[in-house]
Each structure stands twice: as structure tokens, then as C-alpha cells.
Amino acid sequence: MTRTRKPGVSRRATLAMMGAGAVTFATPWVARAQAKTIKIGMPTILSGRVAQLGTSSRNGVMLEIEKVNAAGGLAGRQIEMVIRDSKGQPQEAARVARELVNTDGCEILIDAEASSGAFAVHEVARDLGVLCLHTNSETSALTADPKQHIPNAFRTARQGVHDSIVGGSYAAAIAKAKGLKKWATCSPDYAYGRDTTGEYVTYLKRFAPDVEIISESWPKLFQPDYTEVVTKILQAKPQALYSCLWGGDLTSYIDQANIYALFSQMEVFAVNMADYTALTVVKNLPKGIHSGNRYIKTYPATAENAAWGDAYKAKYNEYPTNWSWENATAIMLLAEASKKANSADGKKIAEALRGLKIKSPFGADGTVTMRAEDQTLVGYAIGWGTTIPQEPYVPQVQAGDWKTIFELEAEWKKSKGYT
Amino acid sequence: MDLDALTGCLASSACLVTQTTSGFIIGMLLFLVAVGLTLIFGVLKVVNFSHGAFYMFGAYFAMTAYQFTGSFALAMLSGAAGTALLGLIFERVFMSRVYGSDVLMQLLVCYAFVLIFDDVVRMIWGPEFKSMGMPAAFQVAPLFIAGGVVPPYYLLLIGVALVAAVVLGLGLGRTRIGKVIRAAAHNPGMVSALGINTGLIYGGVFALGGMLAGLAGALAAPVRSLTPGMGFSVLIESFIVTVIGGMGSILGALIGAILIGMIRSFGSLGFPLFTEGLMYLFMVIVLVSRPTGLFGKEVA
């Protein structure tokens, strides 16, 4: 059968022209899509008593984003942050997070919430499947509990149980040396306060079995007046006190406890004290409070950490906070994971994040790792020391050992039924 | 529940002194806020939902004055006088326009100003929390009375609040101005017909209420974190005090505040997880047994 060629443009030529036309017309769209900014949504606390920490979270993020954008962005896409105030309320945090994705078109979430809001945002991330990096919540269960686990959520913050292992062993050594057997606790009444205090006491007693908790106080989060709590502790006459109050709550508590001379009547261990937020705001900072490092530019004592702290101060005219480094780390990890995946796609970044180790000014050995098994940050610098009322505030820090942390954490997970 | 701790405390003079003082401290600050609230309601018949903002402004004014002058007395004066002026302006410009309106309308206007005032504070002083710090004169060891611990600063606080209670009570009960104010509360039309400027009285009462809340904020500033929105939780507790004592009653506000202070202080020992609940439970019991509050008058 012979095929007769019809006059005019052949089908092949027509298809070729259509193809060429499509390429010609589509190219700008493709180019524009590649150049299109990637929006990252960030609910955080920008009002109320802990607004300073929310602001410092934003600053930590923006400091790093400038560097990432200057280097080309995430796989060639410039990052645009969309930051909203959650007022520290879980329902508002969840609403804002959902709106950031659904209305504002954010492709990634930085969940810069305290634990009170982080669990709510976590459920939004579970529902929408969007890549989410929890940057402030330190409640262990958020990533340790397999029931909470979702493949698209990671944590770049400290974890309560890590702090408690180091803090508990540090406190136990002092308890044994000074004979501190009667202890009181005073922590905020929500997930972080309850979990962290429980874990701290577990490790304190593990290393110093004679310790007895004779008084517990659970003031509500953002409580204005601690008088009744202070006098209750005084009545109990403990030899030592543990607290994981933080931010404005901690400074308010210190101001009120100071006038009862509480700090001279017992040894005080306040995990969240050694952060510039509290150190610089409290007017009459008591000497000799034991604290874990939160953010201080002198620990880890490296040039990289000091330079990062100074760069932050130069830009924002104040020192960073614990939440600043945790948020900065999220961006550092995102940038490295995007490079590794050669993509700005959330799923591909998530795959690249699992097990990713990066250089970091905040690392105990100059690096931090996003542990693959539970998608939480490990290897950051943890240490405890005592405060003095002026810089460097905590002159000598005893470093925690990550080998011990890993061993005891594995045991702890087993005891909780998490493995 | 830890009844052993509570009974142990009741049997110990040291504990009784410490916890009673603690109850008075909590109560007296609440009284200063609540008495302004109750006074404004009693005379102007307005539930001033924005009252907590005056407490907040009082604290910020005091902190700022203290930063500039280093004088604790000037800080207290600035807190009280600044909020009195603010109260007067607020009443003349805004609140005077909603007198006689529906309660819902008044509440909405007041709530709008709660948000506006919080934003104003945020714009002027920033969103982060502040700390005024304790003046050097009060950075001294606490007193030990019968073994109980009593900080000197809190004695001053209790004293100022008690003086305010006495001056208010005598001022309203024994002076001519007090009589005019009471008359204006009962029959403003008649007072006006007698040639007395009721607008001045209303403005004055609102300024006085604001001043008392501002004084409470100023007294709290050395021991509490200052933050936009800090007036809200105080307002809620002040409402509870006002309702328990009876809306419009100064004596009721005093007794109600002391009771709430004691409930919080002793409740934290015996019912550590139910201290807040105890406060609300007590309010419910009072309202069920006496709907007008302990010292409230029956409304005809």
C-alpha cells in the first residue's frame, strides 16, 4: 500500500511545530518555576511573656537565611519566610500553621513553638504531610514516642532527656559531695515541665539513690505570682531545689524568691538559667545557681561559637538565646539537606535529613547530627556549671558525654516502651 | 491532696506566719485592682473589662520612672498618677459615650481597648518581658517573725494597700465628696439638678479606679515580669474578688481579696494541684448561697 502525500504541512511537521511552540512558550514558565521563591512558614510566640524568645527564634532563622539565599537558596529557590504570632496558645499555633500552608502557600514549616504549641503543630504536619522542623520544643516524647512519629517531622532542638541525663549526673555528684538528700522541685505545669522534671529526678536518684523529693510545686505556665510557691518551698526546708521554669516565668520567680532569700537557703539547680534571656534581664542575679548551658557564646568554647554569637549580636544588638541556635540549626540542616537532595522538595529534603551530619558552631565536637531513627538532633553541646552575676555568667562548664547520653537514653526508651 | 502538709502548717507558728503573710501579699495586690473595679461599677454602673490594662500601665510607668530617676518613691508616684490621668482621658473620650448602653456594648468597647492598650505597650516598650528589679533599700534579708519568713518589701505592699482601704472607706463614708459620689451613684439626675457636675464626678471616680490599679501595678513591678497583656490574669482574679465581695462594695473587695489570698496560700500546701480550682469553687459556693456576693446589696 502506498501512502499518498497530501499537500501542505505534514503531520510530523505539525507535531514538531507544536512541540517547538510548547517548548518556546513553556520555557519562561519553567524558568520562572525554578526561580520561584520557596515559602517557609513559621508560627512562633511574638507576644506575651515569652515574646523575646519568639523574636530570638525569628532572628536565628533570618540570620542563617540571609547566608543561604546569598549562596543561591534551596536548590536555586530563594527562601521567603512567612512568620506569624501564635501568642503561645496551642489552638492558635495549629490554626496559624494550617493557614500558612493552605492559604499562604508555604511548602515547609519551622515550628518555633514551645511544647505547649508544638504538639498541636505536629498534628497539623501529620494531617497535611508538609515537611516540619520543630525547633523549640524539648519535650522528649515529641520525637521519642513512636506514636508521635511521622516521616515528615524532625526536631532541631535539645531533648529533655538528654539534658536530664547530664544534669541529673552533675547534680548527683554535688548532692553526694554536699550531702543534699532533701530536694524540692518547682516546674511549670505542662508537658515540658512535667516530663523534664520527671526525667531529671530519675537520673538524679539513679546516681544519688539517697535523694528524696520532699516537695513538688507545679505553677501554671505564665503564672504572674509565685509567692505561694516560694513560701511552700521554704516551709518544706529542702536542701536543694530543681526547676525548669524558663523565660519570663523564671525571671519573675527569681525576683520573688530573691526577697525571701530563698537562694541562700538551699542549693538551686535551674536548667534554663544560663541563657542570655534570663541572665541579662534579672537585675539581681543570684550567684552560684547551677544551670545547664542554653545559649552562651563561651560554651562550647570554640571560635566558631563565639563568632556566631558576635555576628548575631552585631545584627540584632543583643545576644542570642537557646531558641536562636535551635532555629539557626534548622536552617543550616535544611540547606545541607537540600544540597544533598539537589531539590527543594519537602519529601526529598526529609529523606536527605535522616542521618545528616553537618558542621555546627553548637556541636560538642563541632558537628551535629539529625539522628535517623527518631529524627531528632544529637551531638549538640551540653554542659552544666554555676552562675556568676556578670559575663561570662557561667565561667566553667562541665561537659556532658554523648556516649553516656546515648547509653542511658537507650535504656530510658526501653523502660518507656519506646523501642 | 496533701492534708498532712496543711495540718502540719496549721500547727506550726512559723508556717502560719509565712503563709498568712503570703496570703495577705497576694490578696492586697488583688484588692487594689479589685477595689477600683468595684468602685467604677458602683458609681458608673460600668463593668470595666479594660481595668487590667491600668495595672499593666502602672507597672510600665513605674519601671520607666525608676530607670530614669532611680527613685522608688517617684516610680510609685508615676505609676499611680500616670494611670489616674490615663483613666480620666479614657473615661472622658471613650467610656462616657457608652454609659447607659447595653452591657454587651460596654464589654465589647472595653475588650477592644484591652487589645489596643496591649499593642500600645508593645509599641512603646517592645514585646519582650522586662524586669524593674528590686530597689536597693529592699534588697535586705527577710524578717523572721515567730520563725516565719516575711520580706520587708511585702510589709510595705500590705501597708500601702491597707492605707488605701482605710482612706477610701473614710473618704467615701465621711467626707462631703464621698457623699456626693454616693449620691451620684444612687440618683445622678438629682445630683445633676442640684448643679453638681456629674461628668466631673464620673471622670474623677474612673481616674481614682485607674490610679488604684496603677498603684498595684507599680507595687508589683519590682517582683513580677512586665509584659504586654500582663493585666489580663490579674483582671480575672480581680473579677472573682469583686463578685465574691459583692459588686460595688469596698469592704467586700477587701474581704474577698484577703479570702482569695488565703485560699491560694494555704491551698498550695493542702491542695497543690487544685489551688486554682479551690478559688473558683469558693466563688461558686458564695454565689449559690448568696447571689449578690458577701457584701453586695440586693438589686430591686
Side-chain angles (χ1 to χ4, degrees):
Chain A
M1 193 174 132
T2 49
R3 194 176 273 179
T4 312
R5 196 171 170 208
K6 290 180 184 170
V9 184
S10 70
R11 190 177 63 178
R12 186 173 293 176
T14 309
L15 283 172
M17 280 198 308
M18 281 171 67
V23 168
T24 309
F25 285 109
T27 304
W29 291 102
V30 172
R32 256 178 294 194
Q34 281 173 344
K36 190 184 158 197
T37 56
I38 180 166
K39 286 186 180 176
I40 300 181
M42 179 170 165
T44 191
I45 307 169
L46 295 174
S47 55
R49 201 191 276 186
V50 295
Q52 188 178 6
L53 286 171
T55 307
S56 74
S57 300
R58 180 177 64 193
N59 294 347
V61 160
M62 296 313 293
L63 188 67
E64 293 310 309
I65 285 212
E66 270 183 27
K67 295 177 198 164
V68 176
N69 277 344
L74 290 188
R77 294 172 69 185
Q78 292 286 295
I79 301 171
E80 181 189 335
M81 288 302 299
V82 187
I83 302 171
R84 297 270 158 78
D85 184 11
S86 68
K87 303 181 176 77
Q89 295 164 4
Q91 71 280 12
E92 187 67 1
R95 188 190 68 74
V96 166
R98 198 172 285 277
E99 201 173 276
L100 283 165
V101 176
N102 290 339
T103 311
D104 296 295
C106 294
E107 295 175 48
I108 297 171
L109 283 176
I110 300 282
D111 166 40
E113 288 294 319
S115 295
S116 51
F119 284 85
V121 176
H122 192 71
E123 289 314 305
V124 174
R126 187 193 299 275
D127 186 28
L128 301 180
V130 67
L131 174 62
C132 173
L133 282 89
H134 299 294
T135 52
N136 298 343
S137 169
E138 299 175 17
T139 304
S140 298
L142 184 64
T143 48
D145 184 352
K147 287 188 200 119
Q148 297 288 345
H149 180 81
I150 47 174
N152 52 308
F154 296 77
R155 164 160 49 195
T156 65
R158 295 172 183 279
Q159 193 179 152
V161 72
H162 298 163
D163 263 339
S164 298
I165 289 168
V166 178
S169 55
Y170 168 87
I174 293 171
K176 282 199 267 191
K178 294 191 175 181
L180 310 175
K181 292 182 182 170
K182 291 182 177 178
W183 283 62
T185 67
C186 171
S187 294
D189 191 10
Y190 76 118
Y192 167 73
R194 292 268 176 185
D195 281 16
T196 305
T197 302
E199 289 155 10
Y200 184 88
V201 168
T202 299
Y203 289 102
L204 171 63
K205 283 185 173 175
R206 179 188 173 111
F207 297 116
D210 286 350
V211 162
E212 183 193 356
I213 304 298
I214 58 166
S215 171
E216 290 179 35
S217 301
W218 301 103
K220 67 181 180 188
L221 192 61
F222 309 148
Q223 181 166 310
D225 197 323
Y226 294 91
T227 306
E228 77 234 25
V229 176
V230 172
T231 54
K232 183 186 169 184
I233 293 165
L234 286 170
Q235 294 309 327
K237 293 189 172 62
Q239 295 166 296
L241 167 73
Y242 168 79
S243 176
C244 66
L245 286 167
W246 52 280
D249 286 7
L250 178 63
T251 56
S252 209
Y253 177 77
I254 289 173
D255 281 338
Q256 290 170 32
N258 251 341
I259 58 174
Y260 277 98
L262 182 134
F263 299 104
S264 62
Q265 297 178 50
M266 60 198 72
E267 206 83 24
V268 178
F269 297 75
V271 62
N272 292 318
M273 186 73 235
D275 197 16
Y276 292 112
T277 341
L279 293 168
T280 54
V281 171
V282 176
K283 296 289 187 297
N284 313 112
L285 185 73
K287 188 183 167 189
I289 290 185
H290 302 274
S291 178
N293 70 306
R294 308 306 284 172
Y295 181 82
I296 43 173
K297 68 170 197 162
T298 48
Y299 186 80
T302 60
E304 289 81 6
N305 184 34
W308 191 85
D310 288 339
Y312 183 104
K313 178 138 196 289
K315 188 167 174 60
Y316 300 110
N317 198 29
E318 61 185 13
Y319 278 123
T321 69
N322 187 50
W323 284 14
S324 303
W325 83 258
E326 291 174 333
N327 279 275
T329 300
I331 303 301
M332 291 172 182
L333 276 161
L334 263 184
E336 286 299 317
S338 172
K339 256 190 225 167
K340 186 178 160 192
N342 194 25
S343 171
D345 177 71
K347 278 190 182 160
K348 288 180 183 166
I349 290 180
E351 277 170 31
L353 273 172
R354 280 180 211 106
L356 184 65
K357 184 176 188 174
I358 62 166
K359 281 188 181 173
S360 167
F362 322 115
D365 64 354
T367 66
V368 291
T369 303
M370 176 54 68
R371 188 165 58 188
E373 66 188 61
D374 52 2
Q375 302 185 174
T376 199
L377 192 75
V378 294
Y380 51 88
I382 306 185
W384 274 70
T386 53
T387 57
I388 56 171
Q390 67 279 331
E391 285 202 81
Y393 295 112
V394 188
Q396 286 181 322
V397 179
Q398 289 182 29
D401 165 37
W402 273 97
K403 189 169 167 282
T404 311
I405 294 172
F406 287 141
E407 282 170 14
L408 293 176
E409 185 193 19
E411 230 176 72
W412 171 79
K413 279 189 173 179
K414 206 171 171 187
S415 73
K416 284 274 186 184
Y418 286 166
T419 50
Chain B
M1 201 156 67
D2 190 356
L3 289 179
D4 286 348
L6 184 59
T7 48
C9 180
L10 294 174
S12 150
S13 62
C15 185
L16 271 176
V17 168
T18 305
Q19 294 308 115
T20 306
T21 319
S22 160
F24 265 106
I25 294 154
I26 300 164
M28 287 298 101
L29 268 184
L30 278 178
F31 163 71
L32 284 175
V33 183
V35 74
L37 196 65
T38 212
L39 193 64
I40 289 169
F41 176 80
V43 178
L44 280 64
K45 302 290 179 281
V46 169
V47 180
N48 180 22
F49 201 68
S50 62
H51 197 65
F54 291 90
Y55 168 84
M56 172 178 69
F57 274 115
Y60 275 96
F61 289 158
M63 179 193 70
T64 307
Y66 186 68
Q67 281 171 347
F68 279 105
T69 65
S71 162
F72 176 69
L74 277 179
M76 296 301 107
L77 192 66
S78 302
T83 47
L85 182 64
L86 194 68
L88 183 65
I89 296 168
F90 181 57
E91 193 276 340
R92 285 293 84 197
V93 179
F94 300 106
M95 289 309 289
S96 58
R97 296 172 199 279
V98 293
Y99 291 153
S101 306
D102 188 62
V103 173
L104 187 63
M105 164 70 104
Q106 294 176 349
L107 277 177
L108 280 173
V109 169
C110 288
Y111 187 65
F113 273 98
V114 169
L115 302 176
I116 292 166
F117 286 145
D118 283 354
D119 279 350
V120 168
V121 167
R122 200 170 286 122
M123 281 191 288
I124 299 173
W125 286 280
E128 66 275 13
F129 65 89
K130 307 271 184 196
S131 178
M132 174 174 148
M134 182 59 68
F138 295 103
Q139 288 177 36
V140 290
L143 304 173
F144 288 89
I145 302 170
V149 192
V150 184
Y153 181 71
Y154 283 157
L155 283 181
L156 171 87
L157 190 153
I158 294 169
V160 169
L162 285 176
V163 167
V166 172
V167 169
L168 264 180
L170 291 177
L172 284 176
R174 304 278 173 85
T175 65
R176 185 176 176 276
I177 295 173
K179 284 173 188 163
V180 172
I181 290 172
R182 282 187 288 135
H186 286 291
N187 195 337
M190 181 61 76
V191 170
S192 188
L194 290 170
I196 297 168
N197 186 344
T198 48
L200 192 66
I201 293 171
Y202 287 174
V205 168
F206 209 98
L208 179 61
M211 186 192 83
L212 290 164
L215 180 62
L219 286 166
V223 285
R224 290 189 180 178
S225 297
L226 276 60
T227 177
M230 66 184 281
F232 195 74
S233 57
V234 172
L235 176 76
I236 299 298
E237 290 192 358
S238 304
F239 261 115
I240 295 172
V241 165
T242 310
V243 167
I244 289 172
M247 297 286 279
S249 166
I250 291 171
L251 181 63
L254 181 66
I255 303 295
I258 292 171
L259 286 171
I260 289 295
M262 294 303 164
I263 285 172
R264 290 200 70 115
S265 178
F266 286 95
S268 68
L269 293 176
F271 307 90
L273 298 178
F274 194 62
T275 316
E276 294 274 316
L278 267 185
M279 202 168 66
Y280 289 102
L281 182 65
F282 181 65
M283 181 181 75
V284 169
I285 291 169
V286 168
L287 287 183
V288 167
S289 55
R290 198 175 158 79
T292 55
L294 295 174
F295 295 88
K297 288 180 184 147
E298 296 288 341
V299 179

